[in-house]
Amino acid sequence: MVCGFVLSQIWRSASLSFLFLLMASPALAGNDLGISKQKQQMQSAANSQGESIAITEVPRLSDVAVPATTVVDGLAQATPAPVQITGVQLNETEQGLSLNLETTGELAQPTTSSVVGNALIFELENATLALPEGDEFLATSPAEGIAAVSVTALPNNQVRVSITGVDAPPAADVQVAAQGLQLTVVPGTPIAGETDEDAIQIVATGEEDGYNPSTATTATGTDTLLSEIPLSIQVIPDEVLEDRNVTELGGALETATSVVSTGGRGTSVVGPGFLIRGFPANEGVFRDGIPTITLAPLSTNDLERVEILRGPASVLFGQGEPGGIINLVSEEPLSEPFYSLSLTAGSFETYRGDLDLSGPLNDDRSVRYRLNMSYENYDSFRDFVEGERFIVSPILTWDIGEDTSLDLYGQFIRDRETIDEGIPVIDGEIADVPRDRFFGEDFSEFEQEQFRVGYRLNHEFSDSFSVRHALQYFRYEPERYAPLFDSIDATTGELSRLAYFAGGTYQRFFTNAEAIAEFNTGSIEHQVLAGVEYRNDNEEPEFQFSNLYTPINIFDPEYTDEPFDIDPEFFRDDNIQTVSVYLQDQVEITSNLNLLAGIRYDSAEQFRTTQFVGESRDEFEQTDEAFSPRIGIVYQPIEPLSLYASYTTSFSPSFGASRNPDDSTFEPETGQQFEIGLKADLSDDLSLNLAAFDIRRQNVSTPDPDDPAFSVQTGEVASRGIELALAGEVLPGWDIVAGYTLLDAFVSEDNTDVEGNDLANVPDNQFSLWTTYEIQQGDLEGLGFGLGFLYLSDRPGNLDNTFTLPSFFRTDAALFYERDNWRAQLNVENLFDVEYFTSSDEFLGVTPGSPFRILATISVEF
């Protein structure tokens, strides 16, 4: 019933969205999120100069001229072909600022729409933007006395130029030329005209940072400049995902340092896996700060960006591994109508369609929606392996009042794909068989339906105090049905297999409440975040794993194609409740010295039952408590350079059904990390990050030497290394994201012979690069090229280090052309068709990487 209700609501939302495609768009309005970001950027720019900008509230759009937005009005205002603005040049002068707009023709004389607060606003008629940056140009603190300059595209072929002064609206002299327009700006001199003292300029939202985002919310829970965070955090923006044409999280993370995949397409027996700094992150994946657990590959089609926080993250995210977490940031509704359609076709019969709809639902734009839909059907280079995925993600934002907003969201995903364990390992060597050979059966299948529904409520009591509340219900129902690898005869190549089945229902309930306060103690500024959190996880899985299935010879396979009966033999019924309280303080001691301190208390209560068919049910109860502190400091000797040091911790309860020989419960695993690093802005658009770290995870379970049927907690695992990352725009049109990791991840303490062994699937050396160049002007303007490299050194395939995954160097490429509202691109993965392996399951199977693969995509915005 619940699924039926959710699907009916999704269908209803989709129907409404398509109706809005046929209706006239409402009138233009400002976007509060964009204004908030603009406020922060302007204030930050002014603070860096020791200045203060008085930024007040957003005006009503009735104060600003509004263009026609209906079809009838649009026809009535028909004009000749619009003039394209192809470039924006800013030059500081002795008097102030020179702003030049490069155009394809002569613009009409602009008019001053209004003076709003400290902003001087011009509107250009019959003009469009064709900038390398997209539909918006933004520069902060371009000259003394000037806080910001923005050039923004409006509906109906209009462009708005806004120039904001620090202390007062600037004055500007306008000169129109045959191929451009020049504004000579003098700051701090009020101009004639009525001024609204209770307003600031209106700036439409847009992606302004390209390959080099300047802020993130994952590390601190607040929108904080990366240069002020004493932790290693990397942001993978939507631009990188689009240029690389990746739609799954595993592909997206190939540009992240210290992150490797431990699962590929078709290996859904245990779900997709990732290692961060050598430690598993399977349960360290979050969506908008809320845990998300799934056995299917995670899609990126409805994401704005991916943020990776490296190192222990328990202060804000609770129990987890010490390597770090991955936070998926969802796309938000837009205040301007936006409709996008994308179609993709490629190798191995891959077909995908994506639809993205967004815009306002009422005249004052206080209610906005976004609807992402995607369908993909694919085969594989592996025999018999194929699958499909359908996703729909609606979200509705309602600005209840000037200080209160509510987000209502949902998501439904259906996955189906062939279970494929890859290629077997024989006597410490990967079997010498063709990389397309499959060792399951045609009926081997993973299938899963999942949905989430929730809301986020935000309220500002004042500029210095706000609260927010989130609630989410998440449910997924996976089924895994396949013959799985059991053992192999090294002489004959006969692979024995198990008749495996796993099903069940998994439910997650999450809610939290947070308060954010800003205040001063003397000259020291504080931003305090306090929160309380509750999680309730219910799992009711069932398994079948004891019966053998017909073996197969890996050198001469004969497939039976005979499904086996499903008869579950083992059941679990688990309930885990976690209550947490946390406190964090971001302290600005001086203008160039910042402190981050926080602590979290977790209480995790487990009640688990297990039962074999025909036997009585066993019950296990366990309660764990822990405090998880962290502290870090950032010092900026000069503005573009940040030096930092931090100490962070993690906490992870042991599995409640595990026991010591005396039936006592295991202690939680704990982790500690020391990290130092630097963050440098090589230019306004290019950043370099360097980090060195040492992580230790204690209370690791190891076999009891007196009774191998039990375990004891005597182990410790260590990871230490250096990371180097470069991201941003090197020159106009030339973007790059690159990273290198030198890592030593090993068993530092153990009572068995694995002490000193390297951790499985972790390379000592890892390098990635993705770079694009787009021609900026001339007849070939909009044509771009991309080139990518991925290198992983040799990696042990298991903890015993008995076999090795060989190193590989993969080359990718792209060709794209973008003009007006459409884009066509061609992406090639593994250009030189190298043979490589992405990961090992640490047992018998290794996953081969894809051979030469090509994808063609065409997308249009309307």
Side-chain angles (χ1 to χ4, degrees), residues 449-469:
E449 287 188 353
Q450 68 180 60
F451 75 89
R452 76 183 73 235
V453 61
Y455 69 80
R456 295 182 292 268
L457 178 66
N458 299 275
H459 178 72
E460 292 185 3
F461 288 96
S462 67
D463 291 340
S464 58
F465 183 68
S466 62
V467 295
R468 58 195 186 197
H469 169 53

mmCIF file of all heavy atoms in Angstrom, residues 449-469:
data_model
loop_
_atom_site.group_PDB
_atom_site.id
_atom_site.type_symbol
_atom_site.label_atom_id
_atom_site.label_comp_id
_atom_site.label_asym_id
_atom_site.label_seq_id
_atom_site.Cartn_x
_atom_site.Cartn_y
_atom_site.Cartn_z
ATOM 1 N N GLU A 449 13.910 -2.507 -5.095
ATOM 2 C CA GLU A 449 13.102 -1.296 -5.115
ATOM 3 C C GLU A 449 13.364 -0.540 -3.825
ATOM 4 O O GLU A 449 13.444 -1.142 -2.753
ATOM 5 C CB GLU A 449 11.607 -1.619 -5.231
ATOM 6 C CG GLU A 449 11.196 -2.113 -6.600
ATOM 7 C CD GLU A 449 9.685 -2.229 -6.739
ATOM 8 O OE1 GLU A 449 8.976 -2.047 -5.716
ATOM 9 O OE2 GLU A 449 9.208 -2.503 -7.849
ATOM 10 N N GLN A 450 13.510 0.766 -3.941
ATOM 11 C CA GLN A 450 13.745 1.568 -2.750
ATOM 12 C C GLN A 450 13.050 2.914 -2.908
ATOM 13 O O GLN A 450 12.873 3.413 -4.024
ATOM 14 C CB GLN A 450 15.233 1.770 -2.509
ATOM 15 C CG GLN A 450 15.938 2.632 -3.545
ATOM 16 C CD GLN A 450 17.405 2.790 -3.244
ATOM 17 O OE1 GLN A 450 18.146 1.822 -3.187
ATOM 18 N NE2 GLN A 450 17.851 4.024 -3.063
ATOM 19 N N PHE A 451 12.624 3.464 -1.797
ATOM 20 C CA PHE A 451 12.083 4.818 -1.853
ATOM 21 C C PHE A 451 12.387 5.527 -0.549
ATOM 22 O O PHE A 451 12.592 4.915 0.505
ATOM 23 C CB PHE A 451 10.577 4.813 -2.154
ATOM 24 C CG PHE A 451 9.705 4.402 -1.003
ATOM 25 C CD1 PHE A 451 9.226 5.343 -0.096
ATOM 26 C CD2 PHE A 451 9.340 3.076 -0.825
ATOM 27 C CE1 PHE A 451 8.412 4.969 0.957
ATOM 28 C CE2 PHE A 451 8.527 2.692 0.218
ATOM 29 C CZ PHE A 451 8.058 3.648 1.119
ATOM 30 N N ARG A 452 12.445 6.848 -0.647
ATOM 31 C CA ARG A 452 12.646 7.704 0.513
ATOM 32 C C ARG A 452 11.654 8.853 0.425
ATOM 33 O O ARG A 452 11.268 9.292 -0.658
ATOM 34 C CB ARG A 452 14.089 8.219 0.573
ATOM 35 C CG ARG A 452 14.405 9.327 -0.389
ATOM 36 C CD ARG A 452 15.859 9.759 -0.335
ATOM 37 N NE ARG A 452 16.728 8.774 -0.952
ATOM 38 C CZ ARG A 452 17.751 8.232 -0.333
ATOM 39 N NH1 ARG A 452 18.037 8.570 0.910
ATOM 40 N NH2 ARG A 452 18.504 7.358 -0.955
ATOM 41 N N VAL A 453 11.260 9.338 1.583
ATOM 42 C CA VAL A 453 10.386 10.499 1.653
ATOM 43 C C VAL A 453 10.766 11.271 2.910
ATOM 44 O O VAL A 453 11.110 10.671 3.942
ATOM 45 C CB VAL A 453 8.902 10.091 1.669
ATOM 46 C CG1 VAL A 453 8.569 9.236 2.878
ATOM 47 C CG2 VAL A 453 7.988 11.313 1.602
ATOM 48 N N GLY A 454 10.763 12.595 2.832
ATOM 49 C CA GLY A 454 11.169 13.367 3.993
ATOM 50 C C GLY A 454 10.952 14.851 3.798
ATOM 51 O O GLY A 454 10.429 15.304 2.777
ATOM 52 N N TYR A 455 11.382 15.599 4.797
ATOM 53 C CA TYR A 455 11.288 17.057 4.700
ATOM 54 C C TYR A 455 12.435 17.698 5.456
ATOM 55 O O TYR A 455 13.060 17.100 6.333
ATOM 56 C CB TYR A 455 9.939 17.566 5.223
ATOM 57 C CG TYR A 455 9.722 17.429 6.711
ATOM 58 C CD1 TYR A 455 10.269 18.343 7.621
ATOM 59 C CD2 TYR A 455 8.941 16.390 7.221
ATOM 60 C CE1 TYR A 455 10.060 18.215 8.982
ATOM 61 C CE2 TYR A 455 8.724 16.257 8.592
ATOM 62 C CZ TYR A 455 9.281 17.179 9.461
ATOM 63 O OH TYR A 455 9.089 17.060 10.817
ATOM 64 N N ARG A 456 12.698 18.969 5.108
ATOM 65 C CA ARG A 456 13.660 19.819 5.812
ATOM 66 C C ARG A 456 12.983 21.151 6.091
ATOM 67 O O ARG A 456 12.439 21.786 5.178
ATOM 68 C CB ARG A 456 14.921 20.040 4.970
ATOM 69 C CG ARG A 456 15.738 18.801 4.716
ATOM 70 C CD ARG A 456 16.998 19.125 3.922
ATOM 71 N NE ARG A 456 16.680 19.538 2.566
ATOM 72 C CZ ARG A 456 16.614 18.716 1.522
ATOM 73 N NH1 ARG A 456 16.817 17.416 1.704
ATOM 74 N NH2 ARG A 456 16.337 19.172 0.322
ATOM 75 N N LEU A 457 13.010 21.576 7.337
ATOM 76 C CA LEU A 457 12.380 22.829 7.748
ATOM 77 C C LEU A 457 13.457 23.759 8.286
ATOM 78 O O LEU A 457 14.246 23.372 9.148
ATOM 79 C CB LEU A 457 11.319 22.562 8.817
ATOM 80 C CG LEU A 457 10.590 23.789 9.391
ATOM 81 C CD1 LEU A 457 9.739 24.448 8.309
ATOM 82 C CD2 LEU A 457 9.730 23.377 10.581
ATOM 83 N N ASN A 458 13.484 24.994 7.793
ATOM 84 C CA ASN A 458 14.467 25.985 8.224
ATOM 85 C C ASN A 458 13.751 27.256 8.665
ATOM 86 O O ASN A 458 12.804 27.711 8.000
ATOM 87 C CB ASN A 458 15.428 26.326 7.086
ATOM 88 C CG ASN A 458 16.219 25.131 6.607
ATOM 89 O OD1 ASN A 458 17.251 24.809 7.163
ATOM 90 N ND2 ASN A 458 15.735 24.468 5.566
ATOM 91 N N HIS A 459 14.223 27.829 9.768
ATOM 92 C CA HIS A 459 13.636 29.086 10.247
ATOM 93 C C HIS A 459 14.731 29.963 10.834
ATOM 94 O O HIS A 459 15.567 29.498 11.620
ATOM 95 C CB HIS A 459 12.565 28.834 11.312
ATOM 96 C CG HIS A 459 11.967 30.102 11.857
ATOM 97 N ND1 HIS A 459 11.100 30.882 11.115
ATOM 98 C CD2 HIS A 459 12.141 30.725 13.047
ATOM 99 C CE1 HIS A 459 10.743 31.933 11.848
ATOM 100 N NE2 HIS A 459 11.361 31.867 13.009
ATOM 101 N N GLU A 460 14.735 31.243 10.430
ATOM 102 C CA GLU A 460 15.670 32.217 10.957
ATOM 103 C C GLU A 460 14.940 33.144 11.928
ATOM 104 O O GLU A 460 14.034 33.870 11.535
ATOM 105 C CB GLU A 460 16.295 33.043 9.826
ATOM 106 C CG GLU A 460 17.216 32.255 8.911
ATOM 107 C CD GLU A 460 17.896 33.138 7.887
ATOM 108 O OE1 GLU A 460 17.680 34.377 7.937
ATOM 109 O OE2 GLU A 460 18.624 32.615 7.037
ATOM 110 N N PHE A 461 15.334 33.099 13.193
ATOM 111 C CA PHE A 461 14.775 34.029 14.162
ATOM 112 C C PHE A 461 15.388 35.418 13.997
ATOM 113 O O PHE A 461 14.730 36.428 14.254
ATOM 114 C CB PHE A 461 15.015 33.515 15.584
ATOM 115 C CG PHE A 461 14.178 32.331 15.935
ATOM 116 C CD1 PHE A 461 14.687 31.037 15.799
ATOM 117 C CD2 PHE A 461 12.876 32.481 16.395
ATOM 118 C CE1 PHE A 461 13.917 29.935 16.116
ATOM 119 C CE2 PHE A 461 12.110 31.374 16.721
ATOM 120 C CZ PHE A 461 12.617 30.101 16.582
ATOM 121 N N SER A 462 16.650 35.438 13.561
ATOM 122 C CA SER A 462 17.347 36.691 13.325
ATOM 123 C C SER A 462 18.531 36.380 12.430
ATOM 124 O O SER A 462 18.762 35.215 12.043
ATOM 125 C CB SER A 462 17.810 37.314 14.646
ATOM 126 O OG SER A 462 18.809 36.507 15.255
ATOM 127 N N ASP A 463 19.320 37.423 12.115
ATOM 128 C CA ASP A 463 20.506 37.197 11.308
ATOM 129 C C ASP A 463 21.535 36.333 12.017
ATOM 130 O O ASP A 463 22.416 35.754 11.382
ATOM 131 C CB ASP A 463 21.144 38.531 10.928
ATOM 132 C CG ASP A 463 20.288 39.327 9.957
ATOM 133 O OD1 ASP A 463 19.428 38.711 9.291
ATOM 134 O OD2 ASP A 463 20.476 40.554 9.869
ATOM 135 N N SER A 464 21.436 36.221 13.335
ATOM 136 C CA SER A 464 22.454 35.515 14.107
ATOM 137 C C SER A 464 21.947 34.236 14.779
ATOM 138 O O SER A 464 22.713 33.568 15.471
ATOM 139 C CB SER A 464 23.031 36.439 15.183
ATOM 140 O OG SER A 464 22.004 36.906 16.039
ATOM 141 N N PHE A 465 20.664 33.903 14.562
ATOM 142 C CA PHE A 465 20.153 32.678 15.198
ATOM 143 C C PHE A 465 19.121 32.024 14.290
ATOM 144 O O PHE A 465 18.157 32.664 13.852
ATOM 145 C CB PHE A 465 19.523 32.984 16.553
ATOM 146 C CG PHE A 465 19.056 31.742 17.283
ATOM 147 C CD1 PHE A 465 19.972 30.823 17.762
ATOM 148 C CD2 PHE A 465 17.703 31.492 17.460
ATOM 149 C CE1 PHE A 465 19.550 29.671 18.416
ATOM 150 C CE2 PHE A 465 17.275 30.354 18.115
ATOM 151 C CZ PHE A 465 18.204 29.435 18.599
ATOM 152 N N SER A 466 19.336 30.734 14.009
ATOM 153 C CA SER A 466 18.420 29.984 13.153
ATOM 154 C C SER A 466 18.322 28.554 13.639
ATOM 155 O O SER A 466 19.200 28.057 14.359
ATOM 156 C CB SER A 466 18.896 30.016 11.695
ATOM 157 O OG SER A 466 20.167 29.400 11.569
ATOM 158 N N VAL A 467 17.254 27.873 13.241
ATOM 159 C CA VAL A 467 17.052 26.468 13.586
ATOM 160 C C VAL A 467 16.656 25.719 12.325
ATOM 161 O O VAL A 467 16.141 26.297 11.362
ATOM 162 C CB VAL A 467 15.965 26.293 14.674
ATOM 163 C CG1 VAL A 467 16.389 26.917 15.980
ATOM 164 C CG2 VAL A 467 14.633 26.859 14.206
ATOM 165 N N ARG A 468 16.888 24.410 12.343
ATOM 166 C CA ARG A 468 16.473 23.577 11.227
ATOM 167 C C ARG A 468 16.147 22.183 11.740
ATOM 168 O O ARG A 468 16.695 21.727 12.752
ATOM 169 C CB ARG A 468 17.552 23.528 10.149
ATOM 170 C CG ARG A 468 18.912 23.016 10.603
ATOM 171 C CD ARG A 468 19.983 23.347 9.587
ATOM 172 N NE ARG A 468 21.264 22.745 9.923
ATOM 173 C CZ ARG A 468 22.423 23.120 9.398
ATOM 174 N NH1 ARG A 468 22.451 24.080 8.505
ATOM 175 N NH2 ARG A 468 23.547 22.511 9.752
ATOM 176 N N HIS A 469 15.259 21.539 11.020
ATOM 177 C CA HIS A 469 14.781 20.223 11.429
ATOM 178 C C HIS A 469 14.620 19.361 10.187
ATOM 179 O O HIS A 469 14.135 19.823 9.146
ATOM 180 C CB HIS A 469 13.441 20.356 12.154
ATOM 181 C CG HIS A 469 12.739 19.062 12.396
ATOM 182 N ND1 HIS A 469 13.330 17.991 13.016
ATOM 183 C CD2 HIS A 469 11.474 18.652 12.085
ATOM 184 C CE1 HIS A 469 12.474 16.981 13.088
ATOM 185 N NE2 HIS A 469 11.344 17.365 12.519
#
